[in-house]
Amino acid sequence: MEASKLPCSFSSLISRNQRHLPLSPSGFRCYNRDSIGQSLALIGLPSRNSRKKSARIRNASASVQPITKDHVEETSTTSGNAIRRRFLEFYAAKGHKILPSSSLVPDDPTVLLTIAGMLQFKPVFLGKVPRQVPCATTSQRCIRTNDIENVGRTSRHHTFFEMLGNFSFGDYFKKEAIKWAWELSTKEYGLNAENLWISVYEDDDETYSIWHDEIGVPANRIKKMGEEDNFWTSGPTGPCGPCSEIYYDFDPDRGHSDVDLNDDTRFIEFYNLVFMQFNKQDDGSLEPLKQKNIDTGMGLERMARILQKVPNNYETDLIFPIIEKVSELANVSYALADDSSKTKLKVIGDHMRAIVYLISDGVFPSNIGRGYVVRRLIRRAVRMGRLLDIRGDEPGNLEGTFLPIIAETVIDISTEIDPDLKSRKSRILEELKREELRFVVTLERGEKLLDEKLDDALEYAKVNNTEPVLPGKDAFLLYDTYGFPVEITIEVAGERGVSVDMSDFDIEMENQRRQSQAAHNTIKLTVENGSELTDNIPDTEFLGYDTLYSKAVVKGLLLSGKPVVEVSEGSEVEVLLDRTPFYAESGGQIGDRGLLKVTQTETGKTAVIEIADVQKSLGNIFVHKGMIKEGSIAVGKEVEAAVDAKLRQRAKVHHTATHLLQAALKKVIGQETSQAGSLVAFERLRFDFNFHRQLLDHELTKVEDLINEWIGDATSLQTKVMAIADAKSAGAIAMFGEKYGEEVRVVDVPGVSMELCGGTHVNNTSEIRGFKIISEQGISSGVRRIEAVAGDAYIEYVSERDNYMKQLCSTLKVKAEDVPTRVAGIMEELRIAKSEVSVARAKTAVFKASVIANNAFLVGTSTQIRVLVEFMDDTDADSLKSAAEHLVDALQDPAAIILGSCPGEDKVSLVAAFSPSVVSMGIQAGKFIGPIAKMCGGGGGGRPNFAQAGGRKPENLSGALDKAKTDLVSVLLEKTS
């Protein structure tokens, strides 16, 4: 399907602990109203009965009245929140399990952000993870940026949107999916059947028949469409199937002839049904899937537009309150604004939703990956605000910023989507404030760069006697790298008489758009090697919480990723067991190491497999990776599995210390900080957390002291398995990005820390023995990293540092307490010595300059300028500067000096010094030296009268100085003729 098509809906991974409900006589699971209410409560939504009693919810659903000609005041049943609840309740009553929206950061390496509904169900659709419920329904938050330029310009494009979805994992298929979609649309939502059109795949006669013969949709409102529009594929191979879409007709009076369902002025596609029934082979043939699946998606914003009777998605109560706040800050009326201003208001309204949710889900602005997405959205919002003359100086703002003010409105109207937004509010607002202030500085740099580019364009035009044009690549560089609006580029360039090559700009923009679509708008859903092996292998039973030794049966072997029956000595192998004491890497904790032993009853010999790592794959199957040191191993054999106890203890110590570290950070720098990642290894721990600045020395000391105090308290840990709702109510912290089922494991250090965690931990904090931070640094914007050691690793670290100190004391011949004073003295002596050497070098360079001054020659007719271009051996950059300053004074005005040297291996230094008369001719040292430095593999610049540059190719310096002399003489002759 095209990128502009309605994407499929979305759900989080199904929990393995969810229970099946009894079957109804029709074969579908029955849910009573109590179970529906419990499911809604699980994801933060009230049921219908509770809505009647809740003034808060009524207020949250209060009507929003966009000022539009055709606006009809909504009722409580047509608010965005109500539409969402009604969808979930409808499918819950049909036997679907209501699952919460998962993070915008997907647990899938093939995509950057959550872009489609089926993403989290991919393992289920592939048959690699057994279904835990037969069917599910979700309201999923999604992000797409491939159509970012259409946001605000069309009635339906967004970067952030909610997808309502219902899914079947081999439970029901086409007939039920179509019947319920029609019932939901016409009865639950009350859409007039005369306004609904259907599209079907041209070869899917079964679907056509259901719509026409069973549902009763007239043939003239069913359109057969080709593979491009109505056949869904996951890639070149893998699961695929036909689609059927429901469109709403805003203008049925236009009749049924020459109808184009892609006509946005008349139709909007609001519901997409994907019938996943085939597996596409390498040769392109279609093989029926053993398990046929349903994957659907209804756009919440689109349905709200239809039911609230507004002209576009932006004027629904899901977005319009944000636009109203922006209009207030811009001091403009949305109703009276021109199209250009309305577009800018819509862009900010859309982007702010995406920004707030991305930051809430732990995505912070940076220059790579997901961080770049949120940074780009923030910059676009700031640019649009500045074009609307919002400058961040309104009363009540946050230190000269305006995005945090708008974000508060987003949070206020979005608590029913995600209650966690309010608890993360301060972090979101602080991050927005920092990024906006940072970008204002970037904009100012962009303005400076634009001036330089315009100077270059004017100079080029003058030399070549052409019309001045700013290259499209330069305009795109300003737009993409510096966030400088192309509209402002055109306006400023026009004021200086320079046009902008927009055709070249459009080419650059299209290249970026294609790359973005290719990188972020596909989901790989291909059956991988080994799928046949895992079809009959159950999940691995983990015994490692209670024991480090067990017997197990080999259920599968992989050699170079391919299934085999037996593997012999010397081979690297992956072993799948029915049960294991080995911990598989997850939650930041690395996998255990140890041994697998197999007694060969036939020969009496023992096979030994050294396990170096354990990973989870294909759901909850543990893959033991190791080397066969002795003998051989075969499928079906019984093995003795033994974990390396010392390494496990080191991992346990570091994992518990990580929990204490998070608790200490929250006490010292604030509760709003949160975990952004971790590594629990045998030799150290690493903890990433959200914070906007470097920690001060006294803060790090306080963190260490707190943790060591808790270690000394010898507190026994408590581990419980409980319902996730109960765990959160008790205050347990959930790790961002982790997927949790309905039952979770809670690790509690009473009075200190309580977290949801599946890792291994010490029994008592005294086992940690000691804790030491070894580094603290920033790893990206708004994210810091602490590395630390505990337990045996702590003892080793302290012992090693003590040995270093002893060696240092011996070398310096002082006591340990006197080392800082002695080192400070040495550093001062070194500074004085360097200063003396620098002065001596400068004097030497000046002396050399006095000698070569005689090499200066005169250039010009009306005015004669003294010119000197010379090579000064290995003179360092500072001394070269002193020489140039001496020469420009000695030769007197007018004079132009270019000097070059090779101060070291692979090093080039260049300097240009022009006297005032030369500068007044329009010749600038900073601009002149740049192209010369490029020849030497470097660059540089400076003021009009003085500039320095460097390079990495000394072999090119001679040629560069020759060019400098030629170019300088040429331009001086032109200026003085």
Side-chain angles (χ1 to χ4, degrees):
M1 294 177 61
E2 295 177 347
S4 61
K5 285 288 184 181
L6 183 70
C8 300
S9 68
F10 176 99
S11 172
S12 61
L13 286 173
I14 302 174
S15 163
R16 294 186 170 275
N17 297 316
Q18 291 162 344
R19 299 174 180 174
H20 290 190
L21 290 170
L23 290 171
S24 70
S26 63
F28 298 109
R29 273 70 187 172
C30 298
Y31 281 65
N32 59 35
R33 283 294 170 187
D34 289 339
S35 67
I36 295 172
Q38 292 167 3
S39 297
L40 287 168
L42 177 66
I43 64 172
L45 297 179
S47 66
R48 288 185 180 180
N49 290 337
S50 65
R51 290 202 308 273
K52 295 177 182 178
K53 301 175 183 178
S54 173
R56 181 183 65 82
I57 297 302
R58 286 197 300 271
N59 291 336
S61 301
S63 64
V64 174
Q65 299 181 36
I67 309 172
T68 57
K69 177 181 173 183
D70 300 323
H71 174 69
V72 176
E73 184 175 349
E74 63 168 290
T75 67
S76 60
T77 59
T78 62
S79 70
N81 289 334
I83 294 169
R84 183 190 306 109
R85 285 193 298 267
R86 293 167 70 187
F87 183 95
L88 296 174
E89 289 181 351
F90 177 86
Y91 279 104
K94 303 294 185 185
H96 293 61
K97 177 69 174 178
I98 300 177
L99 297 176
S101 173
S102 58
S103 170
L104 289 172
V105 179
D107 186 21
D108 189 311
T110 67
V111 288
L112 199 63
L113 293 164
T114 297
I115 62 172
M118 50 72 61
L119 188 60
Q120 299 298 325
F121 289 126
K122 192 164 83 170
V124 182
F125 286 140
L126 286 174
K128 293 185 174 182
V129 173
R131 71 179 193 182
Q132 299 303 304
V133 293
C135 41
T137 182
T138 64
S139 175
Q140 175 59 46
R141 303 188 299 275
C142 299
I143 292 279
R144 281 195 176 190
T145 58
N146 55 296
D147 287 325
I148 193 170
E149 297 303 323
N150 289 324
V151 170
R153 302 183 185 279
T154 71
S155 63
R156 59 180 176 80
H157 280 97
H158 302 290
T159 54
F160 173 89
F161 56 91
E162 278 191 83
M163 193 56 61
L164 307 171
N166 57 287
F167 303 88
S168 168
F169 312 107
D171 191 55
Y172 63 84
F173 201 49
K174 290 183 181 180
K175 184 177 294 188
E176 292 80 12
I178 291 171
K179 174 185 174 184
W180 292 337
W182 186 257
E183 181 184 345
L184 175 72
S185 301
T186 59
K187 294 183 179 179
E188 178 65 28
Y189 290 138
L191 299 183
N192 188 341
E194 299 297 321
N195 291 74
L196 302 184
W197 288 65
I198 308 298
S199 71
V200 298
Y201 178 51
E202 56 191 359
D203 293 338
D204 188 3
D205 295 334
E206 180 186 4
T207 296
Y208 181 92
S209 176
I210 295 171
W211 279 116
H212 181 54
D213 300 332
E214 299 188 34
I215 302 300
V217 180
N220 59 6
R221 290 212 311 275
I222 304 177
K223 296 279 288 186
K224 290 187 175 182
M225 301 175 78
E227 185 173 338
E228 183 179 352
D229 292 296
N230 278 70
F231 195 90
W232 181 85
T233 60
S234 59
T237 61
C240 57
C243 313
S244 183
E245 295 149 339
I246 309 178
Y247 293 77
Y248 186 82
D249 184 357
F250 291 104
D251 193 2
D253 292 339
R254 288 168 61 176
H256 301 82
S257 60
D258 299 325
V259 168
D260 178 8
L261 292 181
N262 292 319
D263 179 1
D264 286 350
T265 64
R266 178 176 176 182
F267 296 100
I268 186 169
E269 174 202 339
F270 66 87
Y271 209 162
N272 184 13
L273 315 178
V274 175
F275 310 124
M276 204 180 297
Q277 64 186 96
F278 300 115
N279 183 39
K280 194 172 185 180
Q281 305 294 309
D282 290 332
D283 60 3
S285 61
L286 300 179
E287 177 186 79
L289 287 173
K290 296 177 182 177
Q291 174 181 293
K292 296 180 180 180
N293 305 306
I294 291 293
D295 167 21
T296 83
M298 172 185 284
L300 176 61
E301 291 80 6
R302 300 184 184 200
M303 180 53 74
R305 172 192 173 187
I306 295 169
L307 294 180
Q308 294 175 21
K309 297 181 171 60
V310 291
N312 57 69
N313 296 0
Y314 297 92
E315 296 184 34
T316 67
D317 68 336
L318 296 166
I319 306 175
F320 196 72
I322 308 169
I323 293 175
E324 285 187 309
K325 173 55 71 174
V326 182
S327 299
E328 177 187 325
L329 295 178
N331 196 28
V332 299
S333 165
Y334 178 83
L336 302 177
D338 58 28
D339 289 343
S340 176
S341 295
K342 280 187 176 180
T343 296
K344 296 176 180 64
L345 292 168
K346 291 174 184 176
V347 168
I348 298 175
D350 168 89
H351 285 10
M352 286 306 300
R353 293 205 303 165
I355 292 164
V356 166
Y357 276 104
L358 282 168
I359 295 176
S360 177
D361 277 358
V363 182
F364 294 91
S366 69
N367 289 327
I368 58 172
R370 302 180 184 100
Y372 178 71
V373 173
V374 71
R375 171 161 285 172
R376 185 183 180 200
L377 292 173
I378 289 173
R379 291 182 170 187
R380 290 191 95 233
V382 173
R383 292 199 323 258
M384 295 299 171
R386 289 171 72 91
L387 290 172
L388 289 167
D389 205 28
I390 306 175
R391 298 287 168 171
D393 54 1
E394 290 74 20
N397 67 3
L398 293 179
E399 299 180 18
T401 59
F402 66 90
L403 293 189
I405 303 172
I406 303 168
E408 291 198 62
T409 299
V410 177
I411 293 169
D412 288 343
I413 68 172
S414 302
T415 53
E416 193 164 311
I417 309 172
D418 183 3
D420 291 334
L421 277 181
K422 279 201 170 179
S423 63
R424 298 167 182 165
K425 179 177 178 178
S426 61
R427 185 177 76 186
I428 294 168
L429 300 185
E430 282 297 319
E431 189 61 37
L432 280 171
K433 179 184 73 174
R434 283 192 296 273
E435 186 65 15
E436 184 177 344
L437 290 174
R438 184 185 295 119
F439 180 50
V440 168
V441 176
T442 302
L443 269 178
E444 291 171 355
R445 290 204 303 266
E447 290 168 349
K448 181 179 179 182
L449 179 61
L450 175 57
D451 285 339
E452 293 176 3
K453 295 292 184 182
L454 292 176
D455 286 342
D456 292 343
L458 288 166
E459 182 66 23
Y460 181 87
K462 185 175 181 181
V463 171
N464 293 277
N465 195 29
T466 58
E467 291 295 321
V469 178
L470 181 71
K473 288 187 177 181
D474 288 343
F476 185 76
L477 172 70
L478 285 159
Y479 168 80
D480 191 52
T481 303
Y482 292 88
F484 205 76
V486 70
E487 300 95 331
I488 294 182
T489 298
I490 295 170
E491 181 180 343
V492 174
E495 291 172 355
R496 297 189 58 181
V498 180
S499 62
V500 179
D501 185 350
M502 289 305 296
S503 60
D504 192 25
F505 177 88
D506 292 338
I507 291 172
E508 295 293 325
M509 181 68 76
E510 182 59 30
N511 288 339
Q512 186 202 59
R513 184 180 291 112
R514 282 200 297 267
Q515 291 170 1
S516 175
Q517 289 176 339
H520 308 309
N521 200 36
T522 57
I523 299 173
K524 295 181 180 179
L525 190 62
T526 306
V527 178
E528 302 167 356
N529 290 335
S531 60
E532 294 179 5
L533 172 71
T534 61
D535 281 346
N536 300 313
I537 293 181
D539 289 347
T540 309
E541 181 185 359
F542 178 58
L543 309 172
Y545 291 134
D546 303 313
T547 182
L548 298 182
Y549 170 85
S550 72
K551 292 186 176 182
V553 175
V554 178
K555 306 299 289 186
L557 294 170
L558 294 171
L559 187 63
S560 299
K562 296 181 178 179
V564 293
V565 175
E566 186 173 2
V567 186
S568 56
E569 184 175 324
S571 299
E572 292 186 354
V573 66
E574 295 177 343
V575 185
L576 311 182
L577 303 175
D578 63 337
R579 59 210 307 257
T580 183
F582 283 81
Y583 183 84
E585 180 176 335
S586 61
Q589 181 176 333
I590 65 173
D592 281 330
R593 296 176 187 171
L595 297 175
L596 297 181
K597 293 184 179 180
V598 185
T599 300
Q600 308 285 358
T601 53
E602 299 84 358
T603 62
K605 293 183 179 180
T606 300
V608 178
I609 301 93
E610 189 175 279
I611 300 302
D613 188 22
V614 184
Q615 297 284 329
K616 282 185 182 180
S617 180
L618 309 172
N620 208 35
I621 297 174
F622 287 33
V623 180
H624 304 71
K625 301 182 178 184
M627 171 71 74
I628 301 181
K629 295 295 186 180
E630 300 177 26
S632 63
I633 185 172
V635 174
K637 289 290 185 181
E638 184 178 71
V639 300
E640 298 176 22
V643 175
D644 186 316
K646 288 185 177 180
L647 291 181
R648 166 66 79 82
Q649 180 64 17
R650 292 172 76 109
K652 288 164 62 176
V653 162
H654 279 142
H655 206 150
T656 304
T658 301
H659 285 211
L660 298 183
L661 175 57
Q662 175 160 222
L665 285 169
K666 286 181 176 291
K667 277 185 172 291
V668 173
I669 63 176
Q671 290 295 321
E672 68 277 3
T673 189
S674 62
Q675 184 173 350
S678 68
L679 171 68
V680 176
F682 306 127
E683 69 281 358
R684 64 190 169 96
L685 68 87
R686 188 179 72 208
F687 186 78
D688 299 340
F689 58 102
N690 300 307
F691 201 58
H692 61 280
R693 62 166 173 82
Q694 180 180 357
L695 268 66
L696 304 176
D697 288 343
H698 78 272
E699 291 173 323
L700 291 172
T701 300
K702 192 170 182 180
V703 167
E704 281 185 348
D705 290 346
L706 266 174
I707 294 171
N708 284 310
E709 180 183 331
W710 292 332
I711 292 170
D713 289 341
T715 303
S716 295
L717 276 68
Q718 298 176 6
T719 303
K720 305 173 185 177
V721 176
M722 61 176 70
I724 188 170
D726 294 339
K728 289 185 175 180
S729 297
I733 297 174
M735 167 57 186
F736 163 74
E738 286 293 304
K739 305 298 187 296
Y740 299 101
E742 290 184 348
E743 288 192 335
V744 292
R745 186 170 181 263
V746 178
V747 176
D748 185 17
V749 185
V752 177
S753 165
M754 181 186 290
E755 295 190 31
L756 308 185
C757 182
T760 61
H761 289 270
V762 299
N763 295 316
N764 188 286
T765 58
S766 62
E767 295 178 42
I768 302 175
R769 300 163 69 192
F771 176 89
K772 181 68 180 175
I773 293 174
I774 59 178
S775 70
E776 190 274 344
Q777 61 183 331
I779 58 171
S780 64
S781 178
V783 180
R784 309 293 302 175
R785 170 172 290 171
I786 284 178
E787 293 194 359
V789 288
D792 286 350
Y794 164 78
I795 302 299
E796 292 164 2
Y797 177 84
V798 172
S799 297
E800 186 179 41
R801 291 304 182 275
D802 185 56
N803 287 333
Y804 291 151
M805 178 58 74
K806 288 177 180 176
Q807 293 174 26
L808 189 58
C809 291
S810 176
T811 301
L812 297 176
K813 301 186 186 314
V814 295
K815 296 179 180 179
E817 58 267 27
D818 295 329
V819 166
T821 302
R822 183 70 186 103
V823 170
I826 293 173
M827 294 299 293
E828 178 60 17
E829 292 170 8
L830 181 61
R831 186 192 66 78
I832 293 171
K834 282 185 174 180
S835 178
E836 291 173 349
V837 169
S838 180
V839 170
R841 285 177 175 173
K843 288 181 178 179
T844 301
V846 169
F847 175 75
K848 288 182 181 179
S850 299
V851 174
I852 65 174
N854 295 325
N855 296 337
F857 56 92
L858 297 174
V859 174
T861 53
S862 60
T863 301
Q864 290 196 320
I865 299 139
R866 283 168 286 281
V867 176
L868 182 65
V869 180
E870 288 290 331
F871 172 64
M872 291 191 66
D873 303 317
D874 60 352
T875 303
D876 64 89
D878 288 340
S879 300
L880 199 67
K881 175 184 177 184
S882 298
E885 291 171 340
H886 171 77
L887 285 168
V888 81
D889 288 338
L891 295 178
Q892 300 182 345
D893 193 20
I897 294 97
I898 304 291
L899 301 178
S901 67
C902 298
E905 186 178 353
D906 297 331
K907 285 186 179 180
V908 172
S909 288
L910 289 163
V911 65
F914 295 166
S915 68
S917 295
V918 174
V919 174
S920 66
M921 295 177 187
I923 308 173
Q924 297 187 9
K927 291 189 176 182
F928 186 85
I929 202 70
I932 306 304
K934 283 183 180 178
M935 294 180 63
C936 299
R943 303 185 305 275
N945 65 318
F946 192 89
Q948 285 184 282
R952 302 179 303 278
K953 298 179 179 179
E955 66 273 15
N956 294 348
L957 179 57
S958 176
L961 290 175
D962 288 342
K963 177 172 173 55
K965 181 184 290 187
T966 302
D967 291 351
L968 188 55
V969 169
S970 175
V971 70
L972 288 174
L973 285 174
E974 179 186 345
K975 297 292 184 180
T976 59
S977 61

